[in-house]
Amino acid sequence: MEVDSVFYTDRRGPSSNPLLDQLPSYQSLLYRRKSGASTKRRASSRSRVGSIGSAKWGTTTSSKREQKVSKNQTIQRPVKELPRTMAEKRRDKAQQLEQASRELNSWGQWRQSTRRNLRRLREDVHEWVSSLELWRGDIHDIEGMFGTGILSYFSFLRFLVLLNFVIFLLMLGFVMLPIIVAPHASGNTSFNQADGNKCSNYPSSSRRGLVIFHQHITDLLSGGGFLEQTFLFYGYYNVDFLHFPKLSYNLPLAYLLVTIAYLFLSLIWIVKRSASGFKRNLVQDEDRFQSFCNKIFAGWDFCVTNENAAKLKRSSLLYELKTDLEEERIKQKIADRTRREKCRIYMIRLILNLFVIAVLAACFYSIYRATIFSQNAQFNKVNFTLDLIYEYLPSIVITMANFITPLLFSVIINYEDYSPAFEIRFTLMRCVFMRLASVGVLLFSLWSQITKCNEEPCFCGYNHLLYPCWETRVGQEMYKLMIFDFIIIAAVTIFVEFPRKLIVMYCNCGIVKWWGQQEFAIPQNVLEIVYGQTICWIGTFYCPLLPAICTIKYFIIFYIKKVSLMNNCRPATRPFRASSSNFFFLAVLLIGLALATVPVTVSIAQISCSQACGPFVNYTTSWEVMPRTVSQLPSGASRFLFALSSEAFAVSFFVITCLAMFYVIALAGAHKRVINQLREQLAMEGRDKRFLIQKLCQAQRLSAVKSPNSQSQAQAKPRNQSQSRPCGGSPSYHTSFSSNFNSGVFLVQPPPDSYTHV
């Protein structure tokens, strides 16, 4: 067997090559081997099998190379991975199929043809189903004109439309439809009103006699009057059991289970959609160098077809690169800060955050006072305008707070000396907290009024005099928030964005040009619809038709935002990537779902339900229907369900979940360490390549000063060796610069007499 003059080896061990021993990877290996005895033993064992360092190259023989070449020849790459044109790929694919069909019998050919036809049928069905997707053409137009960043907002809006429609179908199928189709449903109800208890008194709020037209408008906007005792609100569903010919339908149990189902369904759907975005976002944020490479080599959005959008995309890429460089500069600046500078900036941040807390506290207190004033003023009717203002006073205060606080936060963040990316995230999180917490303050204000009585404790468990059906009152507040939010979005588009576009187009004033056209700010628009979705999740228990209203609202908002984007707005100068946008949207939506679950859970499990309306009139709390229904099951099933709800099972399940979580965390840590090792190995290979290129350049410069005779001899020697060696042999490693130079260079050493064992 002929030995390789560079990767020389024999049975005694790996060879030592002066050139290869100078590689950075081998020098790093030597340094690691000297760090400890155990590490040295493991490294030397790996060097003997030729897995790293010079041993890796030392174990390369001609026989292994022949096996590798023959193996690569036998293994064919998929056609789609070949660097060829589509016509060549189709021709190669047809040849492969024809060759494979010759080797198969008739039965095998029939099976292969059947699989191919089924695959094509599945693809056609999938394409047909995709063509039925809501707003597919509109979203493609938006993607082509403005890119994938703004596309992600409209895709997110479509997702919320579908989610609310599914929630509405759940409420319709399990709560409303049984009452509609049940024969003589009013005769199949059981109330606790016959006992003469004052808590069961629920006066009608519908207007009698001559009703003025504007009163209908007030009822339509506030949910009172003729709308209060309809399918729209909780108080209408005063049915206990629905008796069908062979079935008794427990409506309170169905009402509670549907509430749990739509919250759990929303959680599963959001987590499923956010999983892919989280993985992409994690990979993108892992390494700054990788981020630079992605932006430079893979940052262009090929869906953009509009010239202005292409220019905007180019400027956005430049902005992102500048932002990344600015972040690197700020990181270096943070690392170079003295102790005095750190104390100063921390003191400034502390003062500004205390100011932010004071602003939030003032907003929350204003919402609390406005809610209490609105609840008390609704009992004293004055006139149409004032009554409508009193009805919507909490919504007005919440909207004003949501408009003012983001402006303050954007000014404050400039003095806190954060990186540009963190400034955006931190400001958005403050705005998210403000918007979602304002709804929680509103509910807290309502419940403080509901559970407060002149005589303590409350006789009915709640303030029956002011709120005979408090669930309906909470549903009316959620209904008003939903309607007012829609009115504000439509009004801003019509009366702010459109006139601003006209002023910018037809006015050449310097201030107007500086003011510029309205930007389509993706985060602010997302916060608007997440705020509305949080209201929908909270209000569905008290207003079962609210998901249908929310579906219609988002359906109209889609076209409002599309028209505004096409005609009034321009994309933001700080664009969001599609992957990070989707993950951010769903993360904020998940926070809204968590916030919505808390008040619904408290009202179901803690607050006494109304005894004058609703399906839970025979229960102290809404959750009481669950254990009572379980106790009526067979003994085995009831014991099993009670065991599942016991503290022993809860503790055991919690321990098992923690162990599984710790295992997953440990596994993720191990995978991360492996990834870091592979990344270091790739970086080391890059250094090796650069080292070898430097040696080649040095050898090239040395060869330039050699005599022409030595150069010709150096060129003739490897040529003769290659001609005398068979084709399957292992040629000597040499470097020829015949294309650019008239010289050849050897970077090899003769087989050494001694061997290196480290």
Side-chain angles (χ1 to χ4, degrees):
M1 181 182 66
E2 186 176 359
V3 293
D4 195 322
S5 58
V6 175
F7 302 97
Y8 176 84
T9 185
D10 64 2
R11 294 187 181 91
R12 291 181 292 176
S15 65
S16 175
N17 190 291
L19 175 64
L20 300 180
D21 287 348
Q22 298 177 26
L23 289 173
S25 58
Y26 187 65
Q27 297 296 325
S28 176
L29 175 65
L30 294 178
Y31 178 78
R32 288 197 301 268
R33 285 174 176 176
K34 295 176 182 178
S35 61
S38 58
T39 308
K40 183 187 299 183
R41 287 194 296 269
R42 288 195 300 269
S44 61
S45 62
R46 287 195 297 266
S47 66
R48 294 188 187 98
V49 298
S51 60
I52 38 182
S54 61
K56 177 179 179 181
W57 295 294
T59 54
T60 304
T61 60
S62 59
S63 60
K64 290 183 179 180
R65 188 182 300 107
E66 293 175 4
Q67 295 175 2
K68 184 177 180 180
V69 171
S70 61
K71 185 178 181 180
N72 290 334
Q73 292 176 353
T74 56
I75 297 177
Q76 294 182 352
R77 295 172 60 187
V79 176
K80 63 181 181 180
E81 296 181 2
L82 297 176
R84 299 178 182 177
T85 62
M86 291 300 298
E88 293 175 348
K89 289 182 178 181
R90 292 192 184 99
R91 185 175 63 252
D92 293 343
K93 186 67 175 178
Q95 292 176 357
Q96 290 182 5
L97 292 176
E98 183 179 358
Q99 183 179 1
S101 61
R102 294 197 196 99
E103 299 175 356
L104 297 175
N105 53 19
S106 58
W107 171 249
Q109 294 178 5
W110 181 83
R111 290 180 58 189
Q112 186 180 23
S113 176
T114 304
R115 285 197 302 268
R116 191 183 306 116
N117 293 331
L118 289 176
R119 185 175 65 254
R120 291 177 180 174
L121 178 63
R122 185 169 60 252
E123 292 174 354
D124 293 339
V125 170
H126 183 268
E127 184 178 357
W128 178 75
V129 172
S130 299
S131 65
L132 300 178
E133 196 174 17
L134 182 64
W135 298 321
R136 187 187 184 192
D138 296 328
I139 288 180
H140 281 329
D141 293 339
I142 294 171
E143 182 182 16
M145 295 182 65
F146 299 98
T148 56
I150 294 179
L151 164 72
S152 60
Y153 166 77
F154 288 93
S155 299
F156 180 67
L157 191 58
R158 178 175 59 186
F159 163 68
L160 291 183
V161 169
L162 297 177
L163 177 63
N164 288 308
F165 184 70
V166 172
I167 295 175
F168 165 68
L169 292 180
L170 288 175
M171 299 299 295
L172 177 66
F174 294 96
V175 176
M176 304 175 199
L177 197 61
I179 296 179
I180 296 173
V181 302
H184 309 291
S186 59
N188 296 330
T189 60
S190 58
F191 304 99
N192 57 355
Q193 298 176 352
D195 55 0
N197 190 351
K198 67 176 184 178
C199 297
S200 60
N201 183 24
Y202 183 26
S204 176
S205 62
S206 59
R207 306 180 190 274
R208 293 180 174 86
L210 182 62
V211 181
I212 305 175
F213 177 73
H214 68 74
Q215 292 178 342
H216 287 298
I217 298 177
T218 304
D219 295 341
L220 185 63
L221 294 176
S222 64
F226 71 95
L227 285 178
E228 184 170 342
Q229 294 182 354
T230 60
F231 283 97
L232 184 60
F233 293 108
Y234 169 93
Y236 180 81
Y237 302 89
N238 52 1
V239 177
D240 193 5
F241 278 93
L242 292 173
H243 300 285
F244 294 95
K246 296 183 180 180
L247 177 66
S248 292
Y249 192 77
N250 191 345
L251 187 67
L253 180 64
Y255 201 100
L256 180 62
L257 291 179
V258 168
T259 303
I260 299 173
Y262 81 74
L263 291 174
F264 188 72
L265 173 66
S266 302
L267 175 65
I268 296 299
W269 205 342
I270 294 171
V271 171
K272 183 177 181 299
R273 283 180 63 92
S274 62
S276 58
F278 174 74
K279 288 186 288 187
R280 286 196 297 267
N281 195 50
L282 188 66
V283 170
Q284 288 174 352
D285 295 339
E286 186 69 23
D287 190 4
R288 179 62 59 190
F289 179 75
Q290 185 182 18
S291 175
F292 286 132
C293 293
N294 289 336
K295 287 182 178 66
I296 294 173
F297 297 108
W300 186 254
D301 190 354
F302 289 93
C303 296
V304 175
T305 57
N306 184 270
E307 183 179 356
N308 294 328
K311 293 180 180 178
L312 182 67
K313 182 64 179 177
R314 178 179 176 275
S315 63
S316 67
L317 287 175
L318 291 175
Y319 168 77
E320 290 183 6
L321 290 172
K322 292 178 181 178
T323 302
D324 291 340
L325 294 174
E326 181 68 15
E327 288 183 2
E328 294 295 326
R329 187 190 66 80
I330 291 178
K331 287 180 180 179
Q332 185 64 34
K333 178 182 176 182
I334 292 173
D336 297 338
R337 278 177 184 164
T338 62
R339 184 174 299 177
R340 183 177 180 179
E341 291 176 345
K342 290 181 180 179
C343 293
R344 182 183 62 83
I345 193 63
Y346 290 154
M347 184 61 65
I348 293 174
R349 290 176 183 176
L350 177 62
I351 295 173
L352 292 177
N353 280 282
L354 290 176
F355 177 74
V356 169
I357 293 173
V359 171
L360 293 176
C363 293
F364 294 156
Y365 182 75
S366 301
I367 295 171
Y368 174 77
R369 296 303 304 173
T371 304
I372 294 177
F373 179 80
S374 174
Q375 296 299 310
N376 295 330
Q378 290 178 17
F379 297 100
N380 301 320
K381 302 297 182 181
V382 180
N383 56 55
F384 170 72
T385 305
L386 288 178
D387 292 345
L388 196 60
I389 292 175
Y390 291 157
E391 288 278 354
Y392 277 90
L393 187 59
S395 302
I396 293 172
V397 174
I398 290 174
T399 303
M400 291 180 62
N402 292 335
F403 176 76
I404 295 173
T405 51
L407 300 178
L408 289 176
F409 295 157
S410 62
V411 174
I412 290 172
I413 198 68
N414 294 326
Y415 299 96
E416 293 183 290
D417 199 12
Y418 292 117
S419 64
F422 187 76
E423 283 183 3
I424 297 174
R425 295 170 186 169
F426 197 40
T427 304
L428 290 177
M429 292 310 299
R430 283 173 173 172
C431 296
V432 168
F433 178 77
M434 177 62 213
R435 281 187 174 269
L436 300 184
S438 60
V439 181
V441 173
L442 173 64
L443 293 174
F444 173 78
S445 306
L446 287 174
W447 285 333
S448 66
Q449 294 291 104
I450 292 170
T451 58
K452 181 181 179 181
C453 302
N454 295 328
E455 299 177 359
E456 297 291 344
C458 296
F459 179 77
C460 301
Y462 59 97
N463 193 342
H464 176 266
L465 296 177
L466 296 179
Y467 305 98
C469 185
W470 65 266
E471 291 92 345
T472 297
R473 179 59 64 88
V474 175
Q476 289 173 348
E477 293 297 329
M478 298 296 105
Y479 173 81
K480 287 186 287 187
L481 285 175
M482 184 70 68
I483 297 297
F484 191 74
D485 183 58
F486 173 73
I487 293 173
I488 291 298
I489 292 174
V492 168
T493 303
I494 297 172
F495 299 109
V496 177
E497 295 178 357
F498 183 68
R500 180 175 177 177
K501 172 66 179 299
L502 295 178
I503 293 173
V504 172
M505 285 180 62
Y506 298 104
C507 183
N508 295 324
C509 180
I511 298 177
V512 174
K513 293 298 182 182
W514 173 81
W515 189 28
Q517 198 173 345
Q518 175 73 31
E519 285 189 358
F520 191 85
I522 298 176
Q524 282 71 21
N525 284 281
V526 168
L527 292 182
E528 289 178 356
I529 60 177
V530 170
Y531 167 75
Q533 185 60 39
T534 304
I535 295 172
C536 180
W537 278 322
I538 297 174
T540 301
F541 180 77
Y542 312 103
C543 181
L545 277 177
L546 198 61
I549 298 173
C550 195
T551 302
I552 298 172
K553 170 190 168 183
Y554 287 152
F555 191 87
I556 299 174
I557 285 177
F558 180 89
Y559 290 101
I560 291 176
K561 292 296 182 181
K562 178 188 173 184
V563 172
S564 176
L565 176 65
M566 297 291 185
N567 300 289
N568 302 333
C569 299
R570 60 183 174 86
T573 55
R574 291 187 174 186
F576 271 46
R577 291 191 303 266
S579 58
S580 60
S581 298
N582 289 325
F583 175 68
F584 169 74
F585 300 162
L586 295 171
V588 175
L589 191 64
L590 198 60
I591 295 173
L593 177 61
L595 179 64
T597 305
V598 173
V600 174
T601 304
V602 171
S603 63
I604 289 175
Q606 296 295 329
I607 302 178
S608 299
C609 55
S610 298
Q611 300 179 22
C613 66
F616 302 101
V617 292
N618 296 322
Y619 304 94
T620 305
T621 60
S622 302
W623 181 255
E624 190 178 345
V625 66
M626 189 70 72
R628 187 179 298 185
T629 304
V630 172
S631 62
Q632 296 174 359
L633 296 175
S635 59
S638 63
R639 284 198 301 269
F640 176 73
L641 293 176
F642 279 124
L644 290 180
S645 61
S646 63
E647 296 179 355
F649 177 80
V651 172
S652 303
F653 180 76
F654 178 75
V655 172
I656 294 174
T657 304
C658 290
L659 292 176
M661 183 178 64
F662 291 151
Y663 170 74
V664 171
I665 292 174
L667 188 63
H671 289 167
K672 189 173 183 179
R673 287 192 295 271
V674 172
I675 291 172
N676 291 332
Q677 292 175 0
L678 293 175
R679 184 175 290 135
E680 292 176 0
Q681 183 177 351
L682 288 174
M684 192 63 67
E685 289 180 0
R687 296 191 190 99
D688 290 346
K689 292 177 181 178
R690 185 160 56 183
F691 173 79
L692 291 175
I693 291 174
Q694 291 175 356
K695 289 295 183 182
L696 287 172
C697 294
Q698 292 176 6
Q700 174 187 340
R701 287 193 295 267
L702 291 175
S703 64
V705 300
K706 290 184 177 181
S707 61
N709 295 332
S710 60
Q711 292 179 2
S712 60
Q713 292 176 0
Q715 291 177 355
K717 183 177 180 180
R719 189 181 302 113
N720 295 332
Q721 290 178 353
S722 60
Q723 292 175 358
S724 61
R725 183 175 292 108
C727 296
S730 176
S732 297
Y733 281 77
H734 67 280
T735 303
S736 176
F737 302 98
S738 58
S739 59
N740 298 317
F741 305 95
N742 295 322
S743 61
V745 182
F746 287 103
L747 301 178
V748 298
Q749 298 291 337
D753 298 330
S754 60
Y755 302 90
T756 304
H757 297 278
V758 181

